[in-house]
């Protein structure tokens, strides 16, 4: 995965999310999302938390080992998606949202955080290896791809909660599609008869699949990732 391409997709998608959040009203911050029990403020706080791991990772020297885990392998169904881990993830986002002095402060904090992450990632050389908080040695490009997934997919959740049209960027959508389907993704979508946005919604559980659609997915050998 080209590091520059991932960094640029992150910049564009996070920037779109930050811009969308500037117009959220006081009442809208309390709206429920499909990611229960999070409301809009909690969900944005979660996105901020998961990208805020990066500055600390980049301060540390590169691991002495080569990258061992890809973005696909990062989503393996192990303890990181266990009930206890999910409960801690939920509480961490809620705590961060509660610490902010209202929605405007939360939006400003997210904006400052993603810009710092973007700046730091652009300063890193191609092939930089980082260690995740789960202990995985990963290429920065591969780990940042998982952050693009977080910003893009939860951006869909926030747009739906707010009753807005999705602001998903083409650059982020293409990367997430490639992660899920590989290099032949366009051909797979054609066989399914789905557009890219519809596919991303179904693949990440944002839209239900019919029995016939599930059969088509199985026939084509598509493997969904564990996204929590």
């Amino acid at each position: 995965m080209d590091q520059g391409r991932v960094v640029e997709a992150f910049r564009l998608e996070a920037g779109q999310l930050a811009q969308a959040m500037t117009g959220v009203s006081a009442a809208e911050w309390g709206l429920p999302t499909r990611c229960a029990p999070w409301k809009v403020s909690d969900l944005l706080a979660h996105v901020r938390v998961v990208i805020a791991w990066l500055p600390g990772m980049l301060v540390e020297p590169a691991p002495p080992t080569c990258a061992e885990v890809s973005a696909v392998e990062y989503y393996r169904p192990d303890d990181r998606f266990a009930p206890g881990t999910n409960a801690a993830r939920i509480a961490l986002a809620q705590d961060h949202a509660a610490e902010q002095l209202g929605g405007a402060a939360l939006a400003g904090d997210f904006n400052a955080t993603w810009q710092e992450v973007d700046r730091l990632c652009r300063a890193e050389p191609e092939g930089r290896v980082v260690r995740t908080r789960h202990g995985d040695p990963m290429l920065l490009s591969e780990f940042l791809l998982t952050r693009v997934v977080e910003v893009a997919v939860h951006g869909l959740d926030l747009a739906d909660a707010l009753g807005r049209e999705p602001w998903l960027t083409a650059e982020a959508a293409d990367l997430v599609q490639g992660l899920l389907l590989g290099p032949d993704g366009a051909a797979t979508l054609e066989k399914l008869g789905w557009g890219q946005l519809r596919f991303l919604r179904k693949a990440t559980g944002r839209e239900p699949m019919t029995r016939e659609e599930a059969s088509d997915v199985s026939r084509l050998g598509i493997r969904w990732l564990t996204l929590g």
Side-chain angles (χ1 to χ4, degrees):
M1 179 60 65
D2 178 76
Q3 186 169 302
R5 182 187 176 196
V6 182
V7 172
E8 182 63 7
F10 174 79
R11 181 186 71 83
L12 293 170
E13 190 65 23
Q16 283 289 96
L17 175 54
Q19 183 178 359
M21 293 298 100
T22 60
V24 175
S25 69
E28 287 175 323
W29 286 110
L31 291 173
T33 72
R34 64 167 53 87
C35 303
W38 285 332
K39 52 185 184 288
V40 167
S41 60
D42 300 325
L43 186 51
L44 181 63
H46 166 69
V47 179
R48 185 269 182 197
V49 166
V50 299
I51 66 174
W53 297 117
L54 270 157
M57 292 164 59
L58 293 173
V59 166
E60 297 296 322
T65 59
C66 297
E68 299 174 359
V69 176
S70 68
V72 171
E73 294 163 335
Y74 177 86
Y75 290 106
R76 61 190 182 272
D78 59 12
D79 290 346
R80 75 196 64 200
F81 299 109
T85 307
N86 279 328
R89 186 179 293 119
I90 288 168
L92 186 60
Q94 291 174 325
D95 290 346
H96 181 72
E99 290 169 359
Q100 305 303 307
L101 300 177
L106 178 60
D109 180 54
F110 172 76
N111 194 41
T113 301
W114 83 256
Q115 290 186 47
E116 180 190 16
V117 169
D118 175 64
R119 176 181 60 80
L120 293 172
C121 288
R122 288 181 185 278
E124 293 293 332
E126 185 76 30
R128 170 72 148 97
V129 178
V130 297
R131 188 178 299 280
T132 74
R133 66 191 183 95
H134 302 292
D136 297 322
M138 296 181 69
L139 286 170
L140 173 60
S141 59
E142 292 288 309
F143 181 74
L144 189 60
L145 176 54
T146 70
R147 304 306 92 176
V148 172
V149 173
E150 293 280 348
V151 179
V153 171
H154 286 314
L156 293 178
D157 297 330
L158 287 164
D160 290 346
L162 295 167
R164 301 185 189 179
E165 289 297 315
W167 49 76
L168 181 67
T169 64
E171 292 80 2
D174 286 346
L175 284 183
V176 179
Q177 175 185 302
L179 175 66
L180 292 165
L181 293 178
D184 297 326
T188 301
L189 290 188
E190 186 174 351
K191 292 176 183 176
L192 288 170
W194 294 348
Q196 187 178 58
L197 180 59
R198 188 182 183 199
F199 163 73
L200 293 178
R201 286 187 177 279
K202 287 182 178 292
T204 60
R206 270 68 191 169
E207 185 177 315
M209 281 194 291
T210 66
R211 182 176 300 177
E212 292 76 12
E213 289 171 340
S215 177
D216 289 340
V217 166
S218 178
R219 175 174 53 82
L220 291 170
I222 299 172
R223 182 188 64 168
W224 295 158
L225 305 180
T226 302
L227 296 175

